[in-house]
Amino acid sequence: MKTILQKIIYCFIIGVNVSVSSFPQKTTSNIHWGFLIDENEGITKIYFNKHINQMCREKTEDIFINGTSISKGKVYVPIGSSNFELIYDEAVFYREDRQGKLHKILQDNSIDKASIAWVIEKGKNREIKIDFPKNCPTGDYLLKIKVHNEQGERYEICRWFEAYTSKQVSRRKKPIPIGSGYAPAIGNITEDDEGGVFEVVQNMPEFPGGGLPKLMEFIRQNIKYPQSALQSKLEGRVIVQVVIDKDGSVIQPKILRSINPVLSIDNAFCEEALRIVSIMPKWKPGSQHGIPVKVKFTFPVRFTLTTD
């Protein structure tokens, strides 16, 4: 009888253990972050090669990173370029699963916007501060930071990190996985979740008459320094993002970064930047395989006092 009872208890324990192990692994808040070395990581230029009809990525030395540091759940990435001015687009974390596929992590307030250099001046080094994902499982994570220059050329900075508890869980010696969210398939384009609006296409939108240089000229010729701000003598840039519609119309303008949101006169600069957008002519729309598509476009509006 004792033997039978022992078997029943033993089977019950085994059953409990099996059922518990089948539950998803709980995440822990006691997460530490460390760097992972990947020989393929670095900075890539993203462009569409019309000769081979493919979206291409190539290593570039146009952008430099002067060290990356981790402190109190944040990563600090100093970015700069000696060749041109850079405009910050976004930073996104991806978690790698056991099959090597990447999964985008949706984060709220993942970036301290007050610390972001939305415009990084030529020859200067500015730091972007980004929160690590919260309540995440241990494993390998890829951070992708996207920027572009005033010629519309786009770049991607990749850094691998490891989330671990008391013991680090991996020693990464494999390349960044191609596909699965990292590199688009041949001929593909990058689309966001805002109703068919794209970020990179074969033929990017162009301002009429000469592209980005003509856009900057149009802004210089039409901009009016706000009268209400003359006393402050404040100068700077307002970063504007628009969507170039399929017919070339400039739609959905929004301010990504103002000059100084603490000051009440800041609104006057934002209103003038939006006024400039409202009087823009139609652009040459972006297209993929000859089909017009909606495309995001970001540019600075500079406010400078004229000197007599």
Side-chain angles (χ1 to χ4, degrees), residues 137-175:
T138 57
D140 292 358
Y141 289 79
L142 174 63
L143 170 64
K144 295 198 291 187
I145 301 173
K146 298 178 182 180
V147 297
H148 69 274
N149 63 22
E150 290 195 351
Q151 285 69 49
E153 296 172 324
R154 294 174 182 266
Y155 300 86
E156 192 171 77
I157 300 157
C158 291
R159 287 290 183 271
W160 278 102
F161 299 91
E162 178 186 26
Y164 61 96
T165 52
S166 58
K167 183 180 180 181
Q168 289 179 277
V169 297
S170 65
R171 298 291 183 270
R172 187 174 190 86
K173 293 183 179 180
K174 54 186 176 180

Side-chain angles (χ1 to χ4, degrees), residues 33 73-74 107 131-136:
W33 289 92
K74 297 180 186 292
Q107 292 178 265
D131 286 332
F132 281 112
K134 300 292 191 300
N135 301 319
C136 57

